[in-house]
Amino acid sequence: DADSLGRRARAQLLVGEIDNLRGDLDAALTAYTAAASTTEEQLRRDPDDQQRLFDHSQSTFWVGYIYWQRGDAARARHHFESYLAIAARLVELEPANSDWQAELMYANSNLGTIELDAGNAAAAETYFRPAFDIAMALLGEKPNDVDLLIEAGQSHSWLAASMYRQLQLPVAMEFLEGEIALYERTTGGPHDHSTIAFQKAVALDGLAELHYLQSDLDAALEHADAALEIARERSTADPDSAEWIELHALTQARVGQISLHLSRLRSATVAAETALDLGRRLAERDASVSIWHGKYIAWPKLLLAQIQLAQNRRDEPFWLIQDAIAILEPLVEKNRSNLPTLRRYCAALRLRSAIDPANYDNWDDIVDHLAPFEKTGDPSTLALLAEAYARTRKPEQAGEIARMLHDDGFR
């Protein structure tokens, strides 16, 4: 009967949640798929019942989420599209229901994330825009609801990311500034909690990066320092939080990156060494988390190599670069579509070719790796690709990218 099906679905979802928290994605997928079959049967019996629609939307989402975690974007997209269709049906049945509006917001954000991960920034924007509109409307109805404020802030963040990937840097900055303004409504008040502090620091770091890309280094350092202050304070207060240690490592590396380009080599060295220490702390917790190695160990090593090159040192930078390549190469071989890791790997190849003329053919490797992203890459990736084209005697391709980046504010 309907009640027994409902109990079965809830039990299956609970089993999937437990398996997911334990990191057993295969078992979680089995449980969530079983739950989806059960809720689908419930919905077949009563296709316009809103509770049945909601229940099936949740099990459908979780199946898609597990596929997304496993890197199976095609299957994840299929289930997220089903989730979106169900959420749209719920809103159609009861437009004034804010819970159903929130489901539609989540469903659009999920598909936007899938498209952004695939390098389809313009397609991602078509999902992030309606999610943004819903988030702001819901916040307008309940301006003191902190959860809605966080959702609205994140909708700004996703649109900023899609604008950045479309090389619309000033528009991306506007969304990040809007996100920070939302969070600052609560700063110092009763709702100044960890999630808001974290998202504010992430947004400040994003603004720092965008100012850096436009060679506005003083503004970049100002925002990077503000992000670092939050991350350092929170990670010190909560030393067991891997999330805060990650952000602390990121913001230290950002300060190091910007300080290097301001020729403040002592400050750059301290920041990069601190980032590397934090990265090692993370890796000691769980060596299997690849992003900790690629982002928080390899990147600081490359920064330290650049600093030492600026100090006219030669031997030490080479071995730092070799270490970074050894970390990044297997990550690239495992997943060539992960653009941040691939770009960092190519940046390491670039540095190695600059130090050792025997590795000049690394420029050909960079072209091979990055050319597939010529139409979808972010500004940093395209700048590196343009340089690689120039170094491999492809001046027309290099010039075309350089002009495009310059027109869009990249310096």
Side-chain angles (χ1 to χ4, degrees):
D1 59 34
D3 288 341
S4 65
L5 284 173
R7 287 192 296 271
R8 184 197 305 169
R10 286 191 292 274
Q12 290 161 334
L13 285 171
L14 180 59
V15 170
E17 181 180 356
I18 293 169
D19 288 332
N20 189 30
L21 289 172
R22 292 169 54 194
D24 190 343
L25 298 188
D26 289 338
L29 181 59
T30 298
Y32 286 141
T33 301
S37 296
T38 303
T39 55
E40 185 177 31
E41 174 59 23
Q42 288 181 296
L43 188 58
R44 185 189 65 78
R45 297 181 182 187
D46 200 350
D48 285 330
D49 183 280
Q50 293 183 37
Q51 187 60 47
R52 299 286 183 253
L53 282 162
F54 174 74
D55 290 344
H56 190 49
S57 75
Q58 299 308 289
S59 55
T60 299
F61 161 75
W62 282 110
V63 173
Y65 181 75
I66 296 298
Y67 278 125
W68 178 72
Q69 283 186 299
R70 294 171 64 172
D72 191 338
R75 285 193 174 94
R77 180 184 282 107
H78 170 75
H79 288 281
F80 285 166
E81 286 173 346
S82 296
Y83 175 34
L84 177 63
I86 298 168
R89 178 60 178 154
L90 285 167
V91 170
E92 182 183 3
L93 289 169
E94 192 179 351
N97 188 321
S98 59
D99 290 335
W100 300 161
Q101 291 284 350
E103 291 300 319
L104 188 58
M105 173 183 69
Y106 301 142
N108 274 293
S109 289
N110 291 337
L111 282 166
T113 303
I114 289 285
E115 295 295 352
L116 196 63
D117 285 349
N120 304 321
E125 183 189 352
T126 66
Y127 292 111
F128 289 143
R129 288 280 180 186
F132 173 86
D133 291 340
I134 295 169
M136 295 304 291
L138 291 174
L139 182 62
E141 294 171 5
K142 297 180 179 179
N144 296 319
D145 188 310
V146 177
D147 291 333
L148 291 177
L149 185 144
I150 292 169
E151 292 294 345
Q154 287 303 281
S155 71
H156 281 75
S157 177
W158 285 119
L159 271 173
S162 65
M163 294 297 102
Y164 167 72
R165 290 290 290 272
Q166 294 178 76
L167 308 184
Q168 297 185 39
L169 303 190
V171 181
M173 292 177 71
E174 288 177 11
F175 279 114
L176 288 176
E177 289 164 353
E179 179 185 2
I180 292 167
L182 284 177
Y183 299 144
E184 288 180 344
R185 289 187 190 181
T186 66
T187 300
H191 302 304
D192 184 19
H193 57 49
S194 183
T195 301
I196 288 176
F198 185 88
Q199 299 300 345
K200 180 181 177 182
V202 171
L204 284 165
D205 178 75
L207 266 181
E209 181 180 14
L210 292 177
H211 280 293
Y212 169 77
L213 291 174
Q214 296 172 92
S215 293
D216 188 355
L217 298 181
D218 290 332
L221 188 60
E222 178 184 350
H223 287 93
D225 281 337
L228 173 57
E229 182 179 358
I230 296 171
R232 180 165 47 207
E233 177 185 338
R234 294 283 178 156
S235 66
T236 301
D238 188 4
D240 293 328
S241 171
E243 185 177 57
W244 278 113
I245 295 173
E246 277 192 71
L247 188 56
H248 189 187
L250 171 66
T251 53
Q252 287 282 7
R254 185 78 65 206
V255 167
Q257 178 187 49
I258 297 164
S259 297
L260 168 62
H261 283 80
L262 284 167
S263 298
R264 300 175 185 176
L265 301 186
R266 183 182 296 274
S267 297
T269 300
V270 171
E273 287 178 343
T274 304
L276 182 57
D277 287 343
L278 291 165
R280 286 170 172 156
R281 280 173 53 190
L282 287 167
E284 287 171 3
R285 292 183 173 210
D286 187 347
S288 69
V289 183
S290 60
I291 189 173
W292 291 348
H293 294 270
K295 192 169 187 178
Y296 304 121
I297 294 180
W299 184 23
K301 281 179 177 285
L302 292 176
L303 284 174
L304 287 168
Q306 289 175 280
I307 293 165
Q308 291 172 4
L309 286 171
Q311 296 168 328
N312 294 317
R313 295 153 70 181
R314 283 291 178 268
D315 292 339
E316 295 165 85
F318 180 80
W319 294 113
L320 284 168
I321 294 164
Q322 289 292 87
D323 286 348
I325 290 173
I327 293 169
L328 293 164
E329 196 163 51
L331 301 180
V332 169
E333 290 174 357
K334 183 178 179 181
N335 183 4
R336 290 179 181 271
S337 65
N338 186 313
L339 190 53
T341 300
L342 183 60
R343 181 181 64 245
R344 204 163 285 122
Y345 174 64
C346 290
L349 295 180
R350 172 188 179 275
L351 285 174
R352 185 168 69 178
S353 70
I355 289 179
D356 183 2
N359 287 297
Y360 194 85
D361 60 355
N362 283 173
W363 287 110
D364 292 311
D365 297 331
I366 294 171
V367 170
D368 290 342
H369 283 302
L370 298 186
F373 297 94
E374 187 168 342
K375 302 299 182 184
T376 59
D378 57 66
S380 297
T381 300
L382 294 178
L384 183 52
L385 177 59
E387 184 179 3
Y389 276 144
R391 297 279 187 173
T392 54
R393 299 182 181 180
K394 299 179 178 67
E396 291 183 6
Q397 293 97 316
E400 183 178 347
I401 294 174
R403 285 189 294 273
M404 177 180 63
L405 289 173
H406 187 273
D407 290 345
D408 289 315
F410 185 90
R411 300 291 183 268

